[in-house]
Amino acid sequence: MRLIFRDFPLNEIHSFSQKAAEAAECAGEQDKYYEYHNKLYENQKSLAVSNLKQFALDLKLNSEDFNSCLD
């Protein structure tokens, strides 16, 4: 059995969903996809880019690599 998880941002419902999905992928490049994904769900009302970058810091990701990826 294989579990495949895919992001399907719903831009019509949440204007920050696309960037949040991109941020999760950037975190995944540092092997922290699921940790970041959980952080997004815990903070669904705070998904501005500045917050996405703060979440990366909170998870101790390499901020230079993360920010470069996200930007």
Side-chain angles (χ1 to χ4, degrees):
M1 179 189 292
R2 178 185 288 189
L3 173 65
I4 298 173
F5 189 90
R6 298 182 191 237
D7 293 313
F8 290 107
L10 301 173
N11 297 323
E12 309 80 41
I13 297 172
H14 200 298
S15 60
F16 295 113
S17 64
Q18 180 64 44
K19 208 58 169 172
E22 292 173 19
E25 294 293 328
C26 293
E29 291 180 5
Q30 297 184 46
D31 299 321
K32 294 279 188 170
Y33 177 86
Y34 289 105
E35 292 91 334
Y36 197 90
H37 175 268
N38 293 341
K39 191 84 162 163
L40 292 174
Y41 273 93
E42 292 168 4
N43 297 281
Q44 290 183 42
K45 296 184 182 198
S46 304
L47 300 179
V49 171
S50 59
N51 292 331
L52 299 176
K53 291 180 178 183
Q54 182 60 50
F55 300 155
L57 290 173
D58 294 346
L59 294 173
K60 301 192 182 348
L61 298 178
N62 180 305
S63 60
E64 185 175 318
D65 290 345
F66 181 85
N67 293 345
S68 176
C69 175
L70 187 60
D71 293 338

